């Protein structure tokens, strides 16, 4: 049995060694907001926060999470960024979007008024094939409006 | 009364004639141009929160009770024969619940023709053990020599179809008479769609009905593919796609994964998910194939194009189709003498698939770069050269256009183009700056058949029902806007129910920029039908003449002053509802329905390191009426960003000896990141096409990607004098072109 | 598979070898385990035993690239190399120790072709697709070393303290030979614990890549000026981080047909790097 703290709740899950955090979130915990688009650390769709730091859950072994608190998109549903993304139309198909918002939430936590340069540096690990990048930038520039 | 008509249908440049039934709709006039209450105004997506919060259920998130997971054994060779395939060890293992080979499923083969072609498949109950199960399949491979070189395929006549020949006028005579002739060879690379949700299906038998959850651009195409190949009555197949994570042309049919899932579901009696990994996605689900284009243009010294000639080799792959790389050359300019020859080479490479304006992206790159080389030789302004050769009528089909505002696009491009002296003047040190432009032509008229229903309940709310799909392009939102506009309802009182073939009428494919122009008019017609019924009811209830009544602001309003909330009128029905039906009418006969535009790119090139930065792209497109300017802007930006990737960083590489795909993962295959994106300025003309449907809207998904590569490469030439003739413009290609330009300059310099 | 969390270096070292591997951030290792490029029955988590953080000139091997990227105390070349490496999430996860030991990104190797570096007889990249490959030291294996920080640390003259010894960074790397296909001199069970990074008078890292962010270096150039002169080191040009004395050393490059452009690309980067530190 493994204990995980996810979005403020404590969960016990059964997981073989080698299982990733993404598999655990999407499987036993039913938190399917976290997407897997490559499963190998190359796209950012699976981004979650560990103690506020954005990491790739698809290559994080669940047994290495320890006491660190996991925050997924489900824990950020009421974050003002959600509203900012929708207003700015920073999503098309929406498959990359939960990961984008998780990364963006960590960015604005560290810097509530990020410059375009900072946004481009901090968000470069979240690929969007639909090409919502300019809208994401706008969402991050206007999220407190 | 239902009306049967024979009409022309176009998808991505391919025309077919077909019968369609259109409901008799009392010809609805187009709305006047310009923004209305809802249509034409920027609206955030109606399903934005579901998507942003991770609550939208994609096919990737469908988990049915008892569901098994399929894994596919794929050919490790580009060409091979399976001498022996033995599934017995897999079938004997109690934890492997299904195992199939070519005898069980037509999507599997013993003679794979490309790396990644499916050969066999298994089903297990834990996705973690899928690969282990594949190891229980015994295969005796005979590796065969692959054919990988498209020119060699042409020489050996290994083609998908007879070479396509086209000629109008007399190109030879015109070239002989031309004052100036330019020629060049251009090459484009193979690029991969990479929707973030990979191809996937979950299939389950429910009694005698097959349920298919699938990430698709065409629910009805999936149904037809399955019905046809499994010989099932179509109505016993239910196809569901509520949210999908991108397609870009690669998800137009059922695809192998669906047939594999069905065969395993049939064998095991359990629901089966077949989901491709990213690497499988980049092997087997299609691509924009590479091309070789040998082009020639002849002009008079005043810039009049007198002759165009192109030989195009499409490196199609093992399956697929030879795309219209020739299209822009035949269609873009008013040139009387045009000759093209196109080969679709059959190679031991993964099959191509439609990818956002297939053929035209590639062909526009070649043609529009050649035009700038011609402008250089003629010492003419490139924008002026294009305007001078504007086609007032379609010469390829000898038809008038339903509408064309390309000259207006050119005019709107002038201020962007006029910035070029200022941009060039900002060159400093090794960074040279320049501006380039390119024109765009593409289809996008959509067509019938497409149907929609609009249901109004006693609560005065409306639901649009149609079995279409929203692939991320925002069509759910556009349909809600159209219905709200027609019903005079605020947008939040209209919902759209889509994504299920058993819960709505037939709807268009979401490809070929056709969803909005196909579905929009049907939705409007359905809403108008519902509105008519509301008014009939209100007229009877309040003893008024129907012609005095309209629906506005959530009310039924009489021109002599009275007004009644909609829910008061429909409330009379209690639980019953009003149902309006609508159909897409035919396209205007004898006319060419096309989209047009121009893009102007600013670039900066570091002439020492070959680094290219696209700094700004202005995109001006003529796509008819714009339903949602916000969503439209996103579509244009998305197309341009894919175009930037196509131009600068994306390339599928294969091992030249074995044909094995090397760039399967996204560390090696380089999609643009947020840091690669230029400033994008979007201007849509928003002039309704008066001949096209009750909306005058054309599609907009594809036009924006068409001219991007050529505009960027022309800007690079403007900045540096270097002729890039091959995509992508990686460091190697840019440094080569710069070296060549320096050598040319040196040779030309007086000794 | 099992996961051990030793609490001392000795315990970790004892647990290593024989079907077990060290796990730091896992960014390289976890995908390789999935792809079976590495097989392991036991993972030994290093979190508790490898130092993390910066103290004076010493950097714990468990420090993440994200931490280094913003640390004003460390030389600019290393900071910039970290900032331009990988993606934000990968930098938050990946440690500097793991970065120095990351495996090649050669696509043939990653797809498990039986090539020289995998113990086979030939290099598939030489005759194959190799635009990202090496221009130096590429006779047997033409792979290009992917680490940006390694080039920076090499230019900075960093020293490495392991669980067994102390060595210069150049001694950590070696070209693969017929007899030994490893590109590092680390012994089985040996752990990198700390780096000692001399303070230069000035330093810089310049990187050419296929997109603006999140790509391995086509060519990365690090330069560091010390009282006794400038040290140059390159990423992406040889199977290991590569030192050059000056731009003219590029004349001795042995590029493959598809990597000749890297020589051309390295020249201005070297010039600019030198210009920037002098
Ligand atoms: C998509 C992608 C892009 C990347 N781009 C870049 C880039 O542009 N530039 C760049 O420089 N890097 C890049 N990287 C590499 C990345 O920085 C490394 O993967 C990361 O730093 C490795 O650290 P880790 O802690 O995750 O190591 P792990 O994956 O945990 O380990 C890597 C290896 O080192 C061993 N190891 C780890 N720590 C120690 C130690 N202290 N002692 C002994 N052995 C140890 C492990 O056993 C394993 O063999 C990229 C990686 C990925 C996945
Ligand atoms: S470059 Fe090295 S790793 Fe790549 S194929 Fe050649 S030997 Fe193998
Ligand atoms: S799914 Fe984790 S990085 Fe792509
Ligand atoms: S919105 Fe589709 S991938 Fe980002």
């Amino acid at each position: 049995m493994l204990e995980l703290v996810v979005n403020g709740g404590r969960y016990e899950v059964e997981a073989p060694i080698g299982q990733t955090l993404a598999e655990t979130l999407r499987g036993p915990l039913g938190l399917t907001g976290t997407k897997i688009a490559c499963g190998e650390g190359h796209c950012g769709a699976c981004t979650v926060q560990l103690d506020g730091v954005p990491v790739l859950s698809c290559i994080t072994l669940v047994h290495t999470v320890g006491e660190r608190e996991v925050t997924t998109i489900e824990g950020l549903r009421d974050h003002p960024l959600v509203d900012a993304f929708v207003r700015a139309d920073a999503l098309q198909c929406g498959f990359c979007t939960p990961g984008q918002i998780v990364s963006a939430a960590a960015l604005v936590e560290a810097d509530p008024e990020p410059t375009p340069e900072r946004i481009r540096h901090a968000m470069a690990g979240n690929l969007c094939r639909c090409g919502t990048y300019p809208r994401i930038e706008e969402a991050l520039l206007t999220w407190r409006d | 009364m239902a009306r049967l008509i024979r009409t022309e249908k176009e998808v991505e440049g391919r025309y077919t004639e077909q019968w369609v039934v259109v409901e008799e709709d009392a010809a609805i006039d187009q709305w006047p141009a310009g923004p209305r209450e809802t249509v034409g105004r920027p609206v955030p997506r109606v399903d934005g929160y579901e998507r942003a919060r991770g609550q939208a259920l994609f096919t990737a998130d469908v988990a049915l009770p008892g569901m098994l997971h399929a894994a596919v054994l794929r050919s490790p060779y580009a060409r091979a024969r399976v001498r022996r395939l033995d599934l017995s060890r897999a079938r004997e293992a109690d934890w492997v619940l299904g195992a199939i080979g070519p005898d069980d499923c037509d999507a599997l083969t013993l003679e794979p023709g490309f790396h990644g072609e499916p050969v066999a498949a298994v089903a297990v109950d834990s996705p973690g053990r899928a690969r282990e199960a594949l190891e229980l399949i015994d295969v005796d491979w005979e590796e065969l020599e692959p054919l990988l070189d498209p020119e060699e395929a042409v020489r050996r006549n290994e083609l998908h179809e007879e070479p396509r020949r086209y000629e109008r006028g007399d190109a030879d005579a015109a070239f002989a008479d031309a004052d100036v002739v330019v020629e060049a060879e251009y090459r484009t690379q193979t690029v991969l769609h990479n929707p973030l949700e990979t191809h996937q299906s979950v299939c389950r038998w429910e009694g005698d009905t097959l349920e298919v959850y699938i990430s698709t651009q065409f629910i009805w195409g999936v149904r037809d593919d399955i019905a046809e190949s499994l010989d099932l009555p179509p109505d016993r197949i239910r196809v569901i796609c509520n949210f999908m994570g991108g397609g870009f042309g690669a998800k137009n049919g059922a695809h192998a994964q669906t047939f594999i899932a069905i065969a395993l579901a049939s064998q095991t009696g359990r629901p089966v998910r077949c989901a491709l990994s990213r690497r499988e996605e980049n092997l087997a689900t299609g691509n924009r194939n590479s091309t070789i284009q040998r082009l020639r243009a002849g002009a008079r010294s005043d810039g009049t194009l007198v002759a165009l000639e192109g030989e195009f080799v499409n490196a199609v792959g093992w399956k697929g189709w030879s795309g219209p790389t020739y299209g822009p050359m035949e269609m873009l300019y008013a040139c009387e003498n045009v000759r093209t020859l196109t080969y679709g080479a059959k190679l031991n490479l993964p099959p191509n698939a439609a990818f956002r304006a297939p053929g035209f992206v590639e062909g526009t790159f070649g043609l529009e770069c050649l035009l700038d080389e011609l402008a250089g030789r003629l010492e003419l302004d490139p924008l002026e050269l294009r305007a001078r050769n504007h086609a007032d009528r379609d010469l390829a089909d000898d038809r008038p256009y339903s509408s064309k505002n390309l000259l207006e696009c050119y005019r709107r491009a002038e201020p962007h183009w006029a910035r070029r002296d200022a941009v060039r003047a900002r060159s400093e040190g090794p960074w040279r700056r320049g501006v380039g432009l390119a024109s765009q032509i593409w289809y996008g008229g959509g067509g019938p058949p497409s149907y929609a229903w609009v249901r109004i309940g006693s609560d005065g709310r409306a639901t649009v029902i149609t079995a279409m799909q929203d692939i991320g392009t925002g069509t759910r939102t556009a349909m809600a806007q159209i219905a709200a506009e027609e019903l005079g309802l605020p947008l939040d009182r209209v919902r759209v129910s889509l994504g299920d073939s058993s819960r709505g009428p037939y709807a268009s494919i979401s490809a070929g920029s056709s969803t909005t122009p196909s579905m929009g008019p049907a939705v409007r017609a359905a809403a108008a039908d519902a509105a008519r019924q509301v008014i009939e009811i209100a007229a009877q209830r309040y003893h008024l003449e129907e012609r005095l009544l309209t629906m506005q602001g959530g009310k039924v309003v009489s021109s002599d002053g009275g007004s009644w909330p909609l829910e008061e009128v429909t409330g009379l029905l209690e639980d019953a509802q009003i149902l309006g039906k609508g159909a897409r009418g035919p396209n205007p006969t004898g006319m060419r329905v096309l989209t047009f535009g121009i893009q102007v790119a600013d670039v900066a090139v570091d002439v020492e390191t070959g680094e290219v930065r696209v700094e700004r792209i202005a995109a001006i497109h003529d796509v008819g009426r714009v339903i949602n300017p916000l969503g439209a802007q996103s579509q244009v930006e998305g197309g341009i960003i894919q175009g930037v990737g196509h131009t600068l960083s994306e390339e599928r590489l294969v091992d030249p000896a074995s044909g094995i795909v090397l760039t399967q993962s996204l560390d090696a295959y380089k999609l643009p990141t947020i840091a690669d994106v230029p400033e994008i300025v979007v201007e849509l003309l928003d002039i309704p096409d008066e001949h096209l449907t009750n909306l005058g809207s054309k599609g907009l998904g594809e036009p924006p990607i068409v001219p991007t590569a050529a505009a960027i490469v022309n800007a690079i030439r403007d900045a540096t004098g270097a002729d890039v003739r091959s995509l992508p413009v990686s460091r190697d290609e840019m440094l080569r072109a710069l070296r060549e330009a320096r050598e040319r300059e040196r040779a030309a310099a007086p000794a | 598979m099992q996961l051990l969390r030793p609490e001392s270096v000795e315990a970790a070292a004892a647990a290593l070898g024989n079907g077990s591997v060290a796990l730091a951030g896992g960014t390289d290792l976890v995908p390789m385990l999935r792809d079976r490029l590495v097989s392991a029955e036991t993972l030994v988590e290093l979190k508790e035993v490898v130092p993390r953080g910066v103290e004076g000139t010493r950097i714990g091997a468990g420090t993440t690239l994200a931490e280094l990227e913003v640390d004003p105390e460390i030389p600019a070349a290393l900071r910039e190399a970290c900032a331009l490496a990988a993606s934000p999430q990968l930098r938050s996860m990946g440690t500097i120790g793991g970065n120095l030991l990351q495996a090649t990104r050669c696509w043939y190797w990653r797809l498990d072709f039986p090539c020289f570096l995998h113990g086979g007889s030939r290099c598939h990249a030489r005759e194959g697709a190799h635009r990202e490959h090496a221009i130096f030291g590429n006779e047997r294996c033409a792979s290009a070393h992917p680490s940006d920080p390694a080039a920076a640390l090499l230019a900075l003259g960093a020293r490495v303290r392991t669980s067994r010894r102390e060595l210069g960074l150049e001694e950590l790397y070696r070209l693969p030979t017929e007899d030994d296909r490893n590109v590092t001199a680390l012994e089985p069970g040996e752990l990198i614990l700390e780096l000692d990074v001399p303070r230069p008078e000035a330093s810089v890292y310049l990187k050419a890549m296929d997109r603006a962010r999140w790509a391995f270096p086509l060519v990365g150039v690090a330069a560091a000026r010390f009282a006794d002169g400038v040290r140059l080191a390159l990423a992406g040009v040889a199977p290991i981080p590569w030192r050059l004395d000056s731009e003219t050393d590029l004349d001795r490059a042995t590029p493959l047909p598809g990597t000749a452009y890297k020589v051309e690309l390295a020249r201005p980067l070297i010039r600019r790097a030198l210009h920037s530190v002098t």
Side-chain angles (χ1 to χ4, degrees):
Chain A
M1 256 326 158
L2 177 75
E3 270 203 2
L4 277 185
V5 183
V6 183
N7 301 328
R10 209 166 256 282
Y11 298 85
E12 289 203 338
V13 285
E14 196 104 50
I17 305 272
Q19 184 165 305
T20 64
L21 176 58
E23 287 161 349
T24 311
L25 292 170
R26 289 180 51 80
L29 296 186
L31 298 172
T32 56
T34 299
K35 302 299 178 202
I36 297 180
C38 76
E40 50 187 350
H42 299 163
C43 77
C46 64
T47 305
V48 302
Q49 296 174 4
L50 291 186
D51 281 347
V53 176
V55 301
L56 303 172
S57 63
C58 75
I59 56 170
T60 299
L61 299 180
V62 68
H63 291 85
T64 64
V65 172
E67 276 299 300
R68 290 179 287 176
E69 159 141 27
V70 184
T71 306
T72 69
I73 185 67
E74 285 85 355
L76 295 168
R77 279 192 175 153
D78 299 321
H79 195 289
L81 272 171
V82 168
D83 216 38
F85 265 60
V86 174
R87 267 187 287 125
D89 207 35
L91 66 159
Q92 291 187 30
C93 78
F95 207 77
C96 73
T97 313
Q100 304 277 6
I101 291 179
V102 173
S103 282
L107 169 60
V108 299
E109 184 65 33
D111 179 357
E113 285 179 31
T115 60
E117 291 69 46
R118 176 112 194 233
I119 293 168
R120 283 163 173 248
H121 187 66
M123 297 299 293
N126 289 81
L127 297 179
C128 172
R129 188 47 155 168
C130 296
T132 58
Y133 300 130
R135 316 275 92 231
I136 290 173
E137 198 172 307
E138 169 149 333
L140 275 161
L141 291 171
T142 61
W143 73 284
R144 294 208 290 189
D145 296 355
Chain B
M1 192 193 90
R3 198 155 56 92
L4 184 66
I5 58 165
R6 186 134 181 96
T7 185
E8 207 174 48
K9 184 168 172 69
E10 169 270 309
V11 176
E12 297 185 323
R14 285 165 287 174
Y15 285 94
T16 45
E17 282 253 313
Q18 68 183 86
W19 291 105
V20 296
V21 177
V22 292
E23 308 274 338
E24 191 72 55
D25 60 5
I28 305 171
D29 290 336
Q30 283 185 11
W31 290 307
R36 309 198 44 81
E37 281 297 313
T38 311
V39 162
R41 298 199 184 272
V43 173
R45 276 160 216 260
V46 293
D47 52 6
Y49 286 96
E50 274 166 284
R51 292 186 198 253
R53 291 180 168 144
Q55 290 164 314
L57 269 209
F58 291 83
T59 307
D61 306 319
V62 171
L64 302 178
M67 183 172 80
L68 303 178
H69 300 265
V72 182
L73 180 75
R74 296 177 181 276
S75 172
Y77 304 110
R79 186 167 160 240
R81 191 176 300 126
V82 175
R83 289 206 203 90
R84 189 180 62 93
L85 175 71
D86 187 351
L87 299 170
S88 49
R89 281 200 306 139
R91 286 190 169 142
E92 278 155 21
D94 56 1
W95 56 278
V96 179
L97 297 154
I100 56 172
D103 292 342
D104 314 291
C105 177
D106 287 346
L108 305 172
T109 177
L110 295 179
E111 299 203 352
F114 62 92
H115 175 208
E117 187 159 22
V119 170
V122 291
V124 294
D125 56 12
S126 131
R129 293 190 85 181
R131 193 162 48 176
E132 205 183 320
L134 287 182
E135 281 161 13
L136 297 177
I137 301 176
D138 295 302
V139 195
D140 185 3
W141 302 98
E142 181 186 353
E143 188 181 355
L144 302 171
E145 181 76 22
L147 176 58
L148 303 171
D149 176 5
E151 307 259 39
E152 178 63 20
V154 170
R155 278 193 292 277
R156 288 202 224 158
N157 207 31
E158 292 286 346
L159 304 173
H160 278 281
E161 53 200 60
E162 282 298 299
R164 176 188 180 278
R165 288 168 208 280
Y166 170 88
E167 176 146 20
R168 67 171 179 253
D170 183 343
D172 288 330
F175 274 116
D177 272 357
D179 297 327
V180 173
V181 175
V182 289
E183 60 185 308
E185 182 180 304
Y186 296 93
R187 288 176 183 248
T188 61
Q189 80 283 37
T190 302
V191 291
L192 302 168
H193 300 71
N194 272 307
L196 276 209
E197 184 183 38
T198 59
H199 281 63
Q200 43 199 302
S201 308
V202 178
C203 300
R204 137 166 103 180
W205 285 101
E206 279 282 292
D208 66 356
T209 299
L210 179 66
E211 275 181 15
V212 178
Y213 296 81
I214 177 171
S215 181
T216 184
Q217 295 174 239
F218 193 20
I219 285 173
W220 297 88
V222 171
R223 194 183 80 136
D224 289 351
D225 277 2
I226 297 171
E228 199 177 310
S229 58
L230 303 186
D231 204 14
L232 280 173
D235 260 345
R236 296 231 313 260
I237 304 163
R238 177 177 174 201
V239 182
I240 303 162
C241 175
N242 211 359
F243 288 97
M244 70 87 85
F248 316 113
K251 292 182 181 166
N252 291 344
H255 298 280
Q257 90 272 358
T258 307
F259 293 111
I260 290 168
I262 295 170
L264 285 166
S266 303
Q267 193 182 69
T268 60
R270 308 242 311 242
V272 174
R273 153 184 294 284
C274 186
L276 271 59
S277 70
R278 176 59 48 194
R279 296 191 188 189
E280 292 179 294
E281 180 78 14
N282 279 339
L283 283 179
T285 62
N287 54 63
R288 184 192 298 285
N289 58 257
S290 67
T291 69
I292 302 168
Q293 310 174 29
R294 284 180 274 272
L295 311 183
R296 200 147 75 101
R300 283 203 287 271
S301 46
D302 68 355
T304 311
L305 276 173
V306 294
L308 287 169
E309 182 176 28
E311 186 186 291
F312 302 91
V313 180
N314 293 325
V316 171
W318 186 238
K319 297 174 192 165
W321 52 288
S322 183
T325 318
Y326 50 78
M329 179 170 272
E330 294 172 11
M331 291 161 62
L332 186 49
Y333 293 111
C335 179
E336 301 284 349
N337 308 293
V338 178
R339 180 165 62 212
T340 66
L341 172 59
T342 307
Y343 300 99
K346 184 171 180 182
L347 301 165
N348 293 110
L349 290 170
N352 72 346
F355 189 166
R356 223 164 178 168
F360 277 57
V361 166
E362 301 86 317
T364 299
F365 167 65
L367 177 68
E368 286 294 89
C369 288
L370 186 73
L371 232 76
D372 264 33
E373 296 199 23
L374 180 66
R377 283 279 296 281
L378 291 166
E379 293 180 13
L380 264 181
D381 179 297
L383 183 56
E384 172 61 29
L385 177 66
R386 284 164 175 88
R388 195 163 293 182
N389 290 288
H390 178 267
D392 301 322
R393 164 183 182 82
D394 179 77
L395 293 181
D397 276 6
D398 193 26
R399 293 178 183 195
Y401 301 110
S402 60
S403 72
K404 178 174 185 180
N405 301 292
L406 183 59
L407 286 174
E408 175 62 11
C409 293
Y410 288 169
R411 203 189 57 73
R412 297 263 296 258
E414 276 166 18
H416 303 288
W417 184 231
R419 297 166 58 256
R420 68 192 180 286
D421 290 329
V423 170
R424 286 189 199 133
R426 284 195 291 112
S427 297
E428 52 181 8
W431 286 99
R432 299 294 148 72
R433 289 187 160 76
V435 179
L437 55 76
S439 274
Q440 169 260 318
I441 192 164
W442 172 248
Y443 306 91
S450 279
Y451 305 90
W453 302 332
V454 168
R455 192 175 72 189
I456 304 179
S458 51
D459 57 358
R461 294 174 172 273
T463 306
V464 177
I465 304 163
T466 178
M468 63 186 271
Q469 50 288 314
D470 183 341
I471 63 172
T473 51
T475 43
R476 213 187 230 109
T477 309
M479 296 310 124
Q481 284 178 275
I482 291 167
E485 186 71 44
E486 186 64 30
L487 294 170
L489 280 179
L491 191 60
D492 62 8
R493 281 169 65 178
V494 179
R495 290 178 53 86
V496 179
S497 160
L498 50 73
D500 187 338
S501 69
S502 65
R503 295 193 186 157
Y506 179 92
S508 156
I509 186 172
S510 293
S513 303
S514 66
T515 321
T516 297
S518 300
M519 294 308 306
V523 169
R524 185 172 175 212
D529 184 30
R532 181 183 49 75
Q533 296 176 46
V534 169
I535 285 167
E536 283 169 4
I537 292 167
Q540 292 167 53
R541 175 71 183 76
Y542 305 113
H543 311 291
L544 289 162
E545 280 184 68
E546 285 168 24
R547 63 179 178 81
L548 301 180
L549 301 179
T550 51
M551 288 178 69
Q552 281 171 43
K555 298 190 175 74
V556 175
V557 178
S558 167
S559 58
D560 57 13
S563 83
W564 303 266
L566 178 58
E567 54 274 29
E568 187 180 316
V569 180
T570 51
L572 299 170
L573 303 173
E574 298 191 359
D575 285 345
Q577 296 153 333
I578 286 167
L579 184 64
K581 292 191 294 174
R584 166 65 150 87
N587 280 352
T589 37
M591 289 184 159
R592 202 86 201 252
V593 186
L594 299 171
T595 57
F596 307 93
I598 183 168
Q599 287 179 7
V600 185
D602 300 5
V603 304
V605 182
D606 180 333
V607 293
E608 292 173 6
T609 66
E611 182 176 353
V612 177
R613 287 192 198 145
V614 182
E615 298 193 319
R616 181 177 188 270
I617 292 186
I620 301 141
H621 293 274
D622 170 27
V623 294
R625 178 193 300 280
V626 176
I627 308 293
N628 181 1
L630 182 61
Q633 169 156 346
S634 292
Q635 280 292 294
V636 176
E637 289 169 349
I640 288 174
I641 290 166
Q642 284 184 356
V644 169
H646 179 217
T647 311
L648 297 184
S649 63
E650 295 180 35
E651 181 169 25
R652 184 205 65 189
L653 294 173
V654 301
D655 176 51
S658 63
I660 289 177
V661 177
L662 300 171
T663 50
Q664 299 170 35
S665 50
L666 293 178
D667 55 339
Y669 185 86
K670 295 172 195 98
L671 302 173
T673 72
I674 193 170
D676 295 283
V677 171
E679 176 193 354
I680 298 172
V681 181
V682 179
E683 293 182 28
L684 298 173
L685 257 40
D686 200 7
I687 304 172
D689 180 334
E690 59 167 332
H691 297 291
L692 184 66
T693 73
N694 57 30
L695 284 181
S697 285
K698 298 176 189 175
L700 147 94
E702 287 157 308
I705 195 180
V706 171
T708 307
I712 293 171
V713 168
N714 285 336
I716 291 173
R717 179 183 308 96
D718 186 54
T720 65
D723 287 322
V724 167
R725 296 226 173 95
S726 172
L727 297 180
V729 194
S730 53
R731 299 298 178 104
D732 9 348
E733 170 63 11
M734 192 64 242
L735 288 170
R736 184 207 60 74
L738 286 164
R739 204 180 321 117
E740 187 189 84
R742 278 195 305 272
E743 278 156 19
R744 206 171 42 219
E745 211 167 288
R746 220 172 288 137
Chain C
M1 197 151 50
Q2 57 167 340
L3 180 77
L4 301 179
R5 288 191 202 83
E7 285 175 7
S8 71
V9 173
E10 295 70 37
L16 283 170
N18 248 344
S20 60
V21 295
L23 174 71
T27 56
D28 198 26
L29 186 61
V30 170
M32 288 204 297
L33 287 167
R34 294 226 146 173
D35 293 342
R36 299 193 188 174
L37 291 166
V38 173
S39 56
E41 282 140 37
T42 306
L43 302 178
V44 181
E45 210 185 336
L46 298 183
K47 211 165 13 190
E48 300 294 318
V49 302
V50 170
R52 177 170 180 173
V54 180
E55 254 190 65
T57 60
R58 293 205 310 276
I59 297 174
T63 314
T64 63
L65 303 192
E67 287 159 352
L68 294 175
E69 157 185 10
V70 295
D71 194 321
E73 295 302 311
I74 66 169
L78 182 57
R79 220 169 41 230
E80 288 156 8
C82 290
L84 291 174
S87 72
Q89 298 94 316
L90 288 164
R91 293 195 295 272
S92 296
M93 301 170 72
T95 63
I96 184 72
N99 181 284
L100 296 180
L101 298 175
Q102 63 180 298
T104 177
R105 304 307 294 197
C106 170
W107 31 57
Y108 291 99
W109 191 89
R110 291 266 163 181
L111 294 172
D112 214 4
F113 277 65
C115 72
F116 179 82
L117 202 64
H118 271 311
S121 57
R122 73 185 181 93
C123 168
H124 289 72
R126 282 196 85 87
E127 263 84 65
H130 57 236
R131 66 172 290 273
E132 299 189 3
H133 286 67
I135 56 174
F136 285 109
N138 52 6
E139 214 171 299
R140 292 199 171 85
C141 166
S143 67
H145 200 267
S147 169
D148 298 300
L153 289 167
L154 187 56
L156 290 164
R159 296 191 61 76
V160 182
R161 186 167 70 80
T162 76
S163 51
R164 305 205 179 140
R165 55 185 158 155
E166 206 186 292
L167 70 172
L169 194 78
E170 44 255 273
E171 299 162 82
L172 180 63
Y173 296 105
R174 48 188 296 285
L175 287 173
T177 62
E178 258 336 296
D179 303 329
D180 187 349
R181 309 293 161 100
N182 281 322
V183 295
T184 74
L186 228 51
E187 290 162 15
E190 187 174 5
L191 293 174
I192 297 185
L193 299 178
E194 237 175 29
L195 302 166
D196 195 353
V197 186
R199 291 273 167 82
E201 289 165 5
S203 72
V204 69
Y205 185 73
L206 302 176
K207 178 175 181 179
M209 48 184 157
D210 279 331
R211 50 186 181 194
R213 282 291 187 285
W214 199 5
F216 288 95
L218 294 170
V219 175
V221 174
R225 177 165 57 86
F226 292 92
D228 57 350
V230 175
R231 286 168 58 99
L232 275 176
L234 276 64
V237 299
I240 56 176
W242 202 253
R243 276 213 54 195
L244 290 184
D245 287 333
S246 68
E247 187 199 327
T248 49
D249 280 358
L250 286 172
D251 300 340
R252 295 205 305 271
T254 53
L256 308 178
T259 61
Y261 78 95
K262 283 196 176 185
V263 181
E264 216 176 323
L265 181 51
R267 280 185 204 285
L269 293 179
I270 290 175
R271 253 178 266 145
R272 288 176 195 183
L274 290 174
H275 183 77
S276 135
V277 296
T278 50

